[in-house]
Amino acid sequence: MEIDLQGIVVVVGNYGSGKTEISINLAVNQKRAGFDVRIADLDLVNPYFRTREARTVLSGLGIYVGLPPEQYLHADLPVLSPAIAGMVKEIGGVTILDVGGDDAGATVLGALADAFRDRRVHMLQVINPLRPMTRSIEGCLKIQTEIEQASQMTVTGLIGNANLIDETSADDIYCGYDFVSSLSADSGLPLEFIAIAHELLPGIDRQRFACPVLPLARQLVPPWKKAVEFGNIEI
């Protein structure tokens, strides 16, 4: 199954859910599928592990990266470039917006209300059921409500991202999928896809999933680790 998310894709979720890693890998996935892809770094809250850290890799793959003005690129400041609104208004291809965590990060979307007008927007909430705040259906729905209120937008779908980083097992993936499937049924929101670290995929039975799988090549790693090169990895 292929991921089909043309147009504007807004990626939201709680802190530590893996929004940025998914946004980066989704951009590469859609580029390789033949789409014109743009990605914007809208994380104006957390100064660590932002899309801008992968801008060289993404640009090298022909993906346009929307960033704050150069003088503010490494600053921990809430600066939204006017160029982002221009990206949102562009017709055709895929525009991915990587939004900061929780309701605090989602408030930036209000500044793009005019750009979103009359455009179809996929706003997808990333769920990692192995994180404390999203271990229950109630916790996930609470975060969804807070993000919707802060952004004045509506979540339209879910992304499953069950992981414990290097400690993730196949059982974690299967249990995480079961959880987000239950959340999808309870909330009425479609499960658009789940994300799985590429190194785990050889031991995973994809037939157990009734949704597409996005392989993740981790780009946002601590200084003592090396990012996975996309190379010939299927993303």
Side-chain angles (χ1 to χ4, degrees), residues 133-196:
M133 300 300 292
T134 46
R135 286 178 177 167
S136 68
I137 299 292
E138 295 75 18
C140 294
L141 295 176
K142 179 177 181 292
I143 290 173
Q144 176 192 334
T145 298
E146 292 171 348
I147 288 174
E148 289 180 333
Q149 291 175 343
S151 65
Q152 295 300 298
M153 297 175 65
T154 301
V155 171
T156 64
L158 304 172
I159 299 171
N161 186 35
N163 77 92
L164 293 169
I165 311 180
D166 295 335
E167 303 301 318
T168 311
S169 68
D171 283 342
D172 292 327
I173 300 297
Y174 297 139
C175 290
Y177 170 74
D178 291 341
F179 177 88
V180 290
S181 295
S182 295
L183 175 60
S184 174
D186 285 4
S187 66
L189 297 172
L191 176 56
E192 298 290 354
F193 62 87
I194 62 172
I196 303 175

